Amino acid sequence: MGDLDLSPVDLDGAMRRALKLVEQRTTDLALTERHEPAAHYVDPERFQAERALLRHCPQLVGYASELPRPGSFVTKEAMGVPLLLTRASDGRLRAFINICRHRQAPVVDGCGVAKRLACPYHAWTYDLEGNLTGVPGEEGFEQTRAASPRLTELPAQEYAGFLWVGLRPGTQLDVESHLGELGPELRAWDIGGWSPVGEKRLDADINWKLALDTFAENYHFATVHRTTFATVALSNCTVFDSYGRHHRLAFPLRAIEEAAGVPETQWRPLDRLVVIYALWPNIVLSVTSGNGEIFRIYPGERPGTSVTFHQNAWRQPLTSDEARAGAEAVFDYAHHTVRDEDYALATKLQRNLETGLSEFLVFGRNEPGVQHRAAVLTEALEESAHRN
Ligand code: FES
Ligand SMILES: [Fe+2]
């Protein structure tokens, strides 16, 4: 496979900068340190404001390849909202709240291909356009039938190979302007054509921002991931770029050192960098030469809890059991590392934050991703407080 196939996105600029940082034993730096109040991780009022803000943003909920053909459906959860996504015979993506109009059972679980979906409770059936098509014992529901109820539809859009939904019925979704200048770059990856490997759920006793921030710097690699990621990746060395409220990090792998002195055409940037996108406000996308992972991070029921859905898609088609088993092993490894190393440590931070004994956290100049995440969130919260 040639370099062009490996990196449809131009990473030469990032490679050049990474090589320089490695050579000078430094990292991209923010202008100053930032102090972040501990209250931002425990205060119920701020937590509610953050939840409201997330509910108003377009939400990336999966890969377009999870709905491979007309008749496909998949169920999801985002911000506690049960979702049913379908691709009906017209090929269009639709999203619904996965709650039966009868007695509110989930209409369907998991994913598959079907013409009609039958609720597991009393077998009311729906088509993939959300219409109620069958009610056993119809005479019991004359009034309801006359009103032709449908599943509650949510705005949905397929964009840059991902499935996006809006969590408020009747609103418009504009993913293109949400992504801004990052849109074309995400489209270029074509991750929507990669093979989905699975989805894992991680309920954690950490504020959702602590979860996000574990992906926003590699300063912790040498310690937290000493025996895992740090065996292949450098620590405290990051190329940082912001795109409005989104940002991109390039984490150099140890293999970058072999690229010094090699002609640019032979750099193969994806063999030497991991690219991490923080998609405002709560999505992390990690792209390597082999796969593209999504971390969908949502506030839980109180400030000290969050829910992460971790997904992986494999760049090569998974045509054999062996290939699938290999992809699953890579996915398991990454998931366990995040759960047992990052989130396990963050749980202890959350406990300390909740004691109220220490007033603030320090975000270093060498943690520009964390600083950016914190700055744009505070800015957005101020903006929405102003509007209301
Ligand atoms: S709850 Fe769905 S058919 Fe009764
Ligand atoms: Fe980590």
Side-chain angles (χ1 to χ4, degrees):
M1 176 181 289
D3 285 332
L4 268 182
D5 297 329
L6 269 177
S7 184
V9 167
D10 183 2
L11 294 173
D12 285 351
M15 261 297 284
R16 227 168 278 137
R17 286 164 59 196
L19 279 167
K20 208 160 166 193
L21 294 174
V22 172
E23 188 191 304
Q24 297 174 348
R25 296 184 180 281
T26 184
T27 182
D28 275 353
L29 294 168
L31 286 177
T32 56
E33 293 179 27
R34 179 187 171 98
H35 286 185
E36 188 71 7
H40 288 180
Y41 298 82
V42 297
D43 177 42
E45 221 171 282
R46 182 176 165 113
F47 180 68
Q48 287 313 329
E50 289 173 353
R51 282 185 59 94
L53 196 132
L54 263 66
R55 266 198 300 272
H56 280 71
C57 291
Q59 288 291 337
L60 184 163
V61 294
Y63 307 103
S65 50
E66 291 178 81
L67 294 171
R69 56 182 170 279
S72 300
F73 68 89
V74 63
T75 57
K76 299 265 176 183
E77 189 185 308
M79 294 287 297
V81 178
L83 298 170
L84 164 63
L85 302 165
T86 67
R87 196 184 295 286
S89 51
D90 59 3
R92 227 185 81 200
L93 168 69
R94 287 182 180 80
F96 304 98
I97 295 178
N98 188 14
I99 296 182
C100 179
R101 299 314 300 242
H102 178 220
R103 299 252 295 274
Q104 304 211 2
V107 174
V108 66
D109 281 324
C111 59
V113 178
K115 274 211 171 68
R116 300 262 188 277
L117 302 170
C119 176
Y121 202 174
H122 312 89
W124 284 27
T125 55
Y126 299 87
D127 64 22
L128 297 193
E129 276 130 33
N131 303 303
L132 179 64
T133 51
V135 174
E138 266 191 287
E139 66 276 20
F141 299 95
E142 243 169 63
Q143 215 179 321
T144 299
R145 288 286 287 169
S148 316
R150 305 181 70 241
L151 294 175
T152 304
E153 189 158 3
L154 295 170
Q157 201 184 338
E158 222 170 312
Y159 190 85
F162 298 104
L163 308 169
W164 300 80
V165 299
L167 296 176
R168 295 171 308 143
T171 55
Q172 294 286 325
L173 201 58
D174 184 355
V175 180
E176 189 168 1
S177 62
H178 173 71
L179 288 174
E181 51 177 326
L182 202 50
E185 181 166 325
L186 289 190
R187 272 209 310 270
W189 283 113
D190 194 29
I191 291 176
W194 300 6
S195 313
V197 181
E199 180 175 292
K200 299 177 196 283
R201 178 185 174 126
L202 196 48
D203 288 90
D205 288 332
I206 57 179
N207 182 272
W208 68 283
K209 302 185 295 297
L210 285 189
L212 264 185
D213 289 352
T214 64
F215 300 96
E217 44 88 3
N218 64 1
Y219 181 37
H220 70 281
F221 278 22
T223 39
V224 179
H225 304 308
R226 190 174 56 81
T227 60
T228 51
F229 297 151
T231 60
V232 292
L234 297 181
S235 292
N236 204 25
C237 180
T238 301
V239 179
F240 167 79
D241 290 286
S242 61
Y243 305 83
R245 287 182 175 158
H246 315 289
H247 73 241
R248 186 186 81 178
L249 306 169
F251 291 161
L253 297 171
R254 292 188 178 277
I256 198 166
E257 277 154 19
E258 297 149 25
V262 164
E264 287 195 17
T265 51
Q266 291 162 34
W267 270 352
R268 300 178 67 90
L270 270 189
D271 287 350
R272 313 191 192 275
L273 298 172
V274 173
V275 184
I276 308 272
Y277 296 95
L279 302 183
W280 161 260
N282 61 322
I283 303 295
V284 175
L285 194 62
S286 158
V287 188
T288 69
S289 58
N291 60 42
E293 287 171 284
I294 301 170
F295 296 87
R296 305 191 276 119
I297 298 168
Y298 306 108
E301 279 168 6
R302 49 186 177 79
T305 62
S306 57
V307 184
T308 300
F309 289 92
H310 179 192
Q311 295 189 246
N312 195 354
W314 206 249
R315 180 191 285 256
Q316 301 295 334
L318 295 171
T319 44
S320 66
D321 289 350
E322 217 181 327
R324 180 156 286 277
E328 278 168 7
V330 170
F331 185 24
D332 283 348
Y333 170 79
H335 188 74
H336 294 154
T337 308
V338 168
R339 185 190 63 194
D340 302 339
E341 297 184 357
D342 293 299
Y343 282 29
L345 185 68
T347 304
K348 296 179 188 169
L349 267 70
Q350 183 68 35
R351 251 183 258 139
N352 279 348
L353 286 160
E354 285 175 3
T355 65
L357 292 170
S358 188
E359 219 178 300
F360 57 84
L361 295 84
V362 182
F363 298 156
R365 291 186 61 207
N366 61 338
E367 301 174 293
V370 183
Q371 288 211 23
H372 179 260
R373 194 280 304 147
V376 296
L377 178 59
T378 297
E379 173 195 278
L381 288 169
E382 277 165 8
E383 244 179 57
S384 67
H386 208 71
R387 266 201 309 271
N388 298 331

